[in-house]
Amino acid sequence: DAQWLVAGARMTLITRRGLILGAPALLAGCDRVAQIPAARAILFKGEDMHRGLQRALTDRAALAPEFRPDQRSPFFRPNGTRDPGTPEYAALAAGRFADWRLQVGGLVSRPLALSLADLTQFPNRAQITRHDCVEGWSAIAKWQGPMLGSVLKAAGLRDAARYIVFTCADLFGGEHYYESIDLIDAFHPQTILAWALNDRMLPVMNGAPCRLRVERQLGYKHAKYLMRINAVADLAGTGRGRGGYWEDNVDYDWYAGI
């Protein structure tokens, strides 16, 4: 019976992943999900069960697959916003982000304001991974930046912290894009604050000057145009309480593990 239970759980996870990555049959893009309630219910129900099963069946330290340089996609298409388009962001971009600072605060002992130069001073990790978008496309690229866990340690994460919330420069529906992850993914070695894509500074369309890469989750969790990172005890005060823009507005799963 135990063997059948585990096998059934694995099939549940595989089937859900297949549905999400096969979404082009149902969806033409993230913004159209809201127009298809039946498809949304099929794709995104059972969030708590899925998260629990995946945590139980997957090693907490398991790595997402990494690839050879020759396996990279010829072009890494942008997902979501191509340019925040705000006066504030335009000014930062015009100065090549010399005045940009990543604020790290919330439940930390030593709040930080990190420049791009500061980020390069941390031990950096380079990884070639596959980005899987809920729209149904995938692409392989090389990313480089410090591990998020290293930055959180430098800020002195407090014991009460349970989640990490990311606030971005781009606007959706008049509000800044936001996302969140738990501490398991925050301290995973492949979760990095990427400032480089394919050995070049991150382009604007891909999230300059810095974006999150959380390689074991779907693309909408990989927040672009990072401006602030906050450590919090719960997600009640984040957006409308589900921890992310798409989670609050289109019923996406908060945990988008693949």
PDB file of all heavy atoms in Angstrom, residues 91-114:
ATOM      1  N   ALA A  91      15.529  56.675 -15.322  1.00  0.00           N
ATOM      2  CA  ALA A  91      16.684  57.422 -14.816  1.00  0.00           C
ATOM      3  C   ALA A  91      17.791  56.483 -14.379  1.00  0.00           C
ATOM      4  O   ALA A  91      18.979  56.732 -14.636  1.00  0.00           O
ATOM      5  CB  ALA A  91      16.254  58.324 -13.666  1.00  0.00           C
ATOM      6  N   LEU A  92      17.422  55.394 -13.714  1.00  0.00           N
ATOM      7  CA  LEU A  92      18.434  54.416 -13.298  1.00  0.00           C
ATOM      8  C   LEU A  92      19.114  53.786 -14.509  1.00  0.00           C
ATOM      9  O   LEU A  92      20.341  53.634 -14.541  1.00  0.00           O
ATOM     10  CB  LEU A  92      17.780  53.333 -12.438  1.00  0.00           C
ATOM     11  CG  LEU A  92      17.300  53.737 -11.045  1.00  0.00           C
ATOM     12  CD1 LEU A  92      16.499  52.607 -10.405  1.00  0.00           C
ATOM     13  CD2 LEU A  92      18.485  54.113 -10.157  1.00  0.00           C
ATOM     14  N   ALA A  93      18.325  53.416 -15.499  1.00  0.00           N
ATOM     15  CA  ALA A  93      18.885  52.788 -16.696  1.00  0.00           C
ATOM     16  C   ALA A  93      19.790  53.756 -17.454  1.00  0.00           C
ATOM     17  O   ALA A  93      20.830  53.357 -17.986  1.00  0.00           O
ATOM     18  CB  ALA A  93      17.764  52.292 -17.596  1.00  0.00           C
ATOM     19  N   ALA A  94      19.401  55.033 -17.504  1.00  0.00           N
ATOM     20  CA  ALA A  94      20.207  56.029 -18.208  1.00  0.00           C
ATOM     21  C   ALA A  94      21.582  56.173 -17.571  1.00  0.00           C
ATOM     22  O   ALA A  94      22.574  56.453 -18.261  1.00  0.00           O
ATOM     23  CB  ALA A  94      19.485  57.377 -18.217  1.00  0.00           C
ATOM     24  N   GLY A  95      21.655  55.974 -16.269  1.00  0.00           N
ATOM     25  CA  GLY A  95      22.931  56.033 -15.565  1.00  0.00           C
ATOM     26  C   GLY A  95      23.616  54.697 -15.438  1.00  0.00           C
ATOM     27  O   GLY A  95      24.522  54.539 -14.604  1.00  0.00           O
ATOM     28  N   ARG A  96      23.165  53.727 -16.253  1.00  0.00           N
ATOM     29  CA  ARG A  96      23.706  52.364 -16.226  1.00  0.00           C
ATOM     30  C   ARG A  96      23.637  51.765 -14.821  1.00  0.00           C
ATOM     31  O   ARG A  96      24.504  51.001 -14.409  1.00  0.00           O
ATOM     32  CB  ARG A  96      25.134  52.335 -16.760  1.00  0.00           C
ATOM     33  CG  ARG A  96      25.231  52.756 -18.223  1.00  0.00           C
ATOM     34  CD  ARG A  96      26.632  52.574 -18.765  1.00  0.00           C
ATOM     35  NE  ARG A  96      26.688  52.941 -20.182  1.00  0.00           N
ATOM     36  CZ  ARG A  96      27.781  52.848 -20.945  1.00  0.00           C
ATOM     37  NH1 ARG A  96      28.918  52.393 -20.409  1.00  0.00           N
ATOM     38  NH2 ARG A  96      27.753  53.203 -22.207  1.00  0.00           N
ATOM     39  N   PHE A  97      22.607  52.141 -14.105  1.00  0.00           N
ATOM     40  CA  PHE A  97      22.270  51.599 -12.782  1.00  0.00           C
ATOM     41  C   PHE A  97      23.340  51.884 -11.722  1.00  0.00           C
ATOM     42  O   PHE A  97      23.395  51.207 -10.708  1.00  0.00           O
ATOM     43  CB  PHE A  97      21.977  50.097 -12.873  1.00  0.00           C
ATOM     44  CG  PHE A  97      20.842  49.782 -13.801  1.00  0.00           C
ATOM     45  CD1 PHE A  97      21.073  49.269 -15.079  1.00  0.00           C
ATOM     46  CD2 PHE A  97      19.536  50.041 -13.431  1.00  0.00           C
ATOM     47  CE1 PHE A  97      20.029  49.011 -15.949  1.00  0.00           C
ATOM     48  CE2 PHE A  97      18.466  49.780 -14.301  1.00  0.00           C
ATOM     49  CZ  PHE A  97      18.717  49.261 -15.558  1.00  0.00           C
ATOM     50  N   ALA A  98      24.127  52.932 -11.950  1.00  0.00           N
ATOM     51  CA  ALA A  98      25.132  53.303 -10.949  1.00  0.00           C
ATOM     52  C   ALA A  98      24.478  53.741  -9.638  1.00  0.00           C
ATOM     53  O   ALA A  98      25.065  53.568  -8.556  1.00  0.00           O
ATOM     54  CB  ALA A  98      26.016  54.418 -11.494  1.00  0.00           C
ATOM     55  N   ASP A  99      23.275  54.324  -9.728  1.00  0.00           N
ATOM     56  CA  ASP A  99      22.583  54.803  -8.527  1.00  0.00           C
ATOM     57  C   ASP A  99      21.584  53.790  -7.970  1.00  0.00           C
ATOM     58  O   ASP A  99      20.908  54.076  -6.974  1.00  0.00           O
ATOM     59  CB  ASP A  99      21.852  56.119  -8.832  1.00  0.00           C
ATOM     60  CG  ASP A  99      22.808  57.247  -9.155  1.00  0.00           C
ATOM     61  OD1 ASP A  99      23.931  57.232  -8.607  1.00  0.00           O
ATOM     62  OD2 ASP A  99      22.448  58.123  -9.969  1.00  0.00           O
ATOM     63  N   TRP A 100      21.466  52.650  -8.608  1.00  0.00           N
ATOM     64  CA  TRP A 100      20.529  51.615  -8.124  1.00  0.00           C
ATOM     65  C   TRP A 100      21.048  50.996  -6.844  1.00  0.00           C
ATOM     66  O   TRP A 100      22.251  50.757  -6.690  1.00  0.00           O
ATOM     67  CB  TRP A 100      20.377  50.534  -9.193  1.00  0.00           C
ATOM     68  CG  TRP A 100      19.598  49.320  -8.751  1.00  0.00           C
ATOM     69  CD1 TRP A 100      18.251  49.166  -8.743  1.00  0.00           C
ATOM     70  CD2 TRP A 100      20.154  48.078  -8.293  1.00  0.00           C
ATOM     71  NE1 TRP A 100      17.915  47.910  -8.306  1.00  0.00           N
ATOM     72  CE2 TRP A 100      19.059  47.218  -8.012  1.00  0.00           C
ATOM     73  CE3 TRP A 100      21.450  47.609  -8.095  1.00  0.00           C
ATOM     74  CZ2 TRP A 100      19.240  45.914  -7.553  1.00  0.00           C
ATOM     75  CZ3 TRP A 100      21.632  46.323  -7.626  1.00  0.00           C
ATOM     76  CH2 TRP A 100      20.536  45.495  -7.358  1.00  0.00           C
ATOM     77  N   ARG A 101      20.140  50.775  -5.914  1.00  0.00           N
ATOM     78  CA  ARG A 101      20.474  50.090  -4.680  1.00  0.00           C
ATOM     79  C   ARG A 101      19.389  49.058  -4.376  1.00  0.00           C
ATOM     80  O   ARG A 101      18.191  49.367  -4.447  1.00  0.00           O
ATOM     81  CB  ARG A 101      20.586  51.062  -3.498  1.00  0.00           C
ATOM     82  CG  ARG A 101      21.708  52.089  -3.629  1.00  0.00           C
ATOM     83  CD  ARG A 101      23.079  51.442  -3.591  1.00  0.00           C
ATOM     84  NE  ARG A 101      24.145  52.435  -3.640  1.00  0.00           N
ATOM     85  CZ  ARG A 101      24.677  52.918  -4.764  1.00  0.00           C
ATOM     86  NH1 ARG A 101      24.218  52.511  -5.950  1.00  0.00           N
ATOM     87  NH2 ARG A 101      25.643  53.807  -4.714  1.00  0.00           N
ATOM     88  N   LEU A 102      19.809  47.865  -4.044  1.00  0.00           N
ATOM     89  CA  LEU A 102      18.888  46.814  -3.633  1.00  0.00           C
ATOM     90  C   LEU A 102      18.753  46.889  -2.114  1.00  0.00           C
ATOM     91  O   LEU A 102      19.716  46.635  -1.383  1.00  0.00           O
ATOM     92  CB  LEU A 102      19.411  45.442  -4.054  1.00  0.00           C
ATOM     93  CG  LEU A 102      18.569  44.242  -3.626  1.00  0.00           C
ATOM     94  CD1 LEU A 102      17.170  44.310  -4.245  1.00  0.00           C
ATOM     95  CD2 LEU A 102      19.255  42.936  -4.017  1.00  0.00           C
ATOM     96  N   GLN A 103      17.559  47.249  -1.658  1.00  0.00           N
ATOM     97  CA  GLN A 103      17.308  47.373  -0.225  1.00  0.00           C
ATOM     98  C   GLN A 103      16.980  45.998   0.355  1.00  0.00           C
ATOM     99  O   GLN A 103      16.125  45.284  -0.174  1.00  0.00           O
ATOM    100  CB  GLN A 103      16.138  48.333   0.029  1.00  0.00           C
ATOM    101  CG  GLN A 103      16.311  49.711  -0.591  1.00  0.00           C
ATOM    102  CD  GLN A 103      17.449  50.506   0.023  1.00  0.00           C
ATOM    103  OE1 GLN A 103      17.718  50.388   1.227  1.00  0.00           O
ATOM    104  NE2 GLN A 103      18.116  51.324  -0.787  1.00  0.00           N
ATOM    105  N   VAL A 104      17.645  45.615   1.405  1.00  0.00           N
ATOM    106  CA  VAL A 104      17.401  44.342   2.093  1.00  0.00           C
ATOM    107  C   VAL A 104      17.005  44.680   3.529  1.00  0.00           C
ATOM    108  O   VAL A 104      17.810  45.251   4.280  1.00  0.00           O
ATOM    109  CB  VAL A 104      18.646  43.434   2.084  1.00  0.00           C
ATOM    110  CG1 VAL A 104      18.326  42.093   2.741  1.00  0.00           C
ATOM    111  CG2 VAL A 104      19.150  43.229   0.650  1.00  0.00           C
ATOM    112  N   GLY A 105      15.754  44.382   3.889  1.00  0.00           N
ATOM    113  CA  GLY A 105      15.270  44.791   5.199  1.00  0.00           C
ATOM    114  C   GLY A 105      14.245  43.830   5.758  1.00  0.00           C
ATOM    115  O   GLY A 105      14.243  42.643   5.459  1.00  0.00           O
ATOM    116  N   GLY A 106      13.350  44.363   6.572  1.00  0.00           N
ATOM    117  CA  GLY A 106      12.382  43.525   7.268  1.00  0.00           C
ATOM    118  C   GLY A 106      13.009  42.924   8.508  1.00  0.00           C
ATOM    119  O   GLY A 106      13.683  43.617   9.281  1.00  0.00           O
ATOM    120  N   LEU A 107      12.819  41.622   8.701  1.00  0.00           N
ATOM    121  CA  LEU A 107      13.303  40.936   9.898  1.00  0.00           C
ATOM    122  C   LEU A 107      14.777  40.563   9.749  1.00  0.00           C
ATOM    123  O   LEU A 107      15.151  39.401   9.652  1.00  0.00           O
ATOM    124  CB  LEU A 107      12.448  39.697  10.170  1.00  0.00           C
ATOM    125  CG  LEU A 107      10.981  39.987  10.544  1.00  0.00           C
ATOM    126  CD1 LEU A 107      10.194  38.692  10.673  1.00  0.00           C
ATOM    127  CD2 LEU A 107      10.905  40.798  11.835  1.00  0.00           C
ATOM    128  N   VAL A 108      15.610  41.600   9.705  1.00  0.00           N
ATOM    129  CA  VAL A 108      17.057  41.430   9.641  1.00  0.00           C
ATOM    130  C   VAL A 108      17.707  42.330  10.688  1.00  0.00           C
ATOM    131  O   VAL A 108      17.147  43.348  11.093  1.00  0.00           O
ATOM    132  CB  VAL A 108      17.627  41.742   8.239  1.00  0.00           C
ATOM    133  CG1 VAL A 108      17.027  40.815   7.191  1.00  0.00           C
ATOM    134  CG2 VAL A 108      17.383  43.200   7.871  1.00  0.00           C
ATOM    135  N   SER A 109      18.886  41.966  11.112  1.00  0.00           N
ATOM    136  CA  SER A 109      19.610  42.751  12.115  1.00  0.00           C
ATOM    137  C   SER A 109      20.416  43.886  11.499  1.00  0.00           C
ATOM    138  O   SER A 109      20.677  44.899  12.153  1.00  0.00           O
ATOM    139  CB  SER A 109      20.565  41.836  12.910  1.00  0.00           C
ATOM    140  OG  SER A 109      19.856  40.804  13.555  1.00  0.00           O
ATOM    141  N   ARG A 110      20.806  43.727  10.216  1.00  0.00           N
ATOM    142  CA  ARG A 110      21.659  44.704   9.562  1.00  0.00           C
ATOM    143  C   ARG A 110      21.093  45.030   8.179  1.00  0.00           C
ATOM    144  O   ARG A 110      21.506  44.432   7.173  1.00  0.00           O
ATOM    145  CB  ARG A 110      23.098  44.165   9.425  1.00  0.00           C
ATOM    146  CG  ARG A 110      23.768  43.871  10.759  1.00  0.00           C
ATOM    147  CD  ARG A 110      25.157  43.263  10.566  1.00  0.00           C
ATOM    148  NE  ARG A 110      25.086  41.931   9.968  1.00  0.00           N
ATOM    149  CZ  ARG A 110      24.865  40.809  10.652  1.00  0.00           C
ATOM    150  NH1 ARG A 110      24.668  40.865  11.955  1.00  0.00           N
ATOM    151  NH2 ARG A 110      24.826  39.639  10.034  1.00  0.00           N
ATOM    152  N   PRO A 111      20.141  45.953   8.086  1.00  0.00           N
ATOM    153  CA  PRO A 111      19.587  46.310   6.769  1.00  0.00           C
ATOM    154  C   PRO A 111      20.700  46.731   5.809  1.00  0.00           C
ATOM    155  O   PRO A 111      21.680  47.370   6.197  1.00  0.00           O
ATOM    156  CB  PRO A 111      18.657  47.489   7.087  1.00  0.00           C
ATOM    157  CG  PRO A 111      18.285  47.290   8.522  1.00  0.00           C
ATOM    158  CD  PRO A 111      19.512  46.715   9.182  1.00  0.00           C
ATOM    159  N   LEU A 112      20.535  46.350   4.540  1.00  0.00           N
ATOM    160  CA  LEU A 112      21.560  46.606   3.530  1.00  0.00           C
ATOM    161  C   LEU A 112      20.992  47.455   2.391  1.00  0.00           C
ATOM    162  O   LEU A 112      19.789  47.431   2.119  1.00  0.00           O
ATOM    163  CB  LEU A 112      22.077  45.288   2.955  1.00  0.00           C
ATOM    164  CG  LEU A 112      22.633  44.252   3.930  1.00  0.00           C
ATOM    165  CD1 LEU A 112      22.974  42.963   3.189  1.00  0.00           C
ATOM    166  CD2 LEU A 112      23.864  44.802   4.651  1.00  0.00           C
ATOM    167  N   ALA A 113      21.878  48.181   1.734  1.00  0.00           N
ATOM    168  CA  ALA A 113      21.561  48.878   0.488  1.00  0.00           C
ATOM    169  C   ALA A 113      22.702  48.557  -0.469  1.00  0.00           C
ATOM    170  O   ALA A 113      23.774  49.155  -0.391  1.00  0.00           O
ATOM    171  CB  ALA A 113      21.429  50.377   0.714  1.00  0.00           C
ATOM    172  N   LEU A 114      22.472  47.594  -1.357  1.00  0.00           N
ATOM    173  CA  LEU A 114      23.544  47.019  -2.159  1.00  0.00           C
ATOM    174  C   LEU A 114      23.554  47.569  -3.583  1.00  0.00           C
ATOM    175  O   LEU A 114      22.535  47.562  -4.274  1.00  0.00           O
ATOM    176  CB  LEU A 114      23.399  45.504  -2.208  1.00  0.00           C
ATOM    177  CG  LEU A 114      23.404  44.786  -0.851  1.00  0.00           C
ATOM    178  CD1 LEU A 114      23.065  43.312  -1.037  1.00  0.00           C
ATOM    179  CD2 LEU A 114      24.757  44.941  -0.168  1.00  0.00           C
TER     180      LEU A 114
END
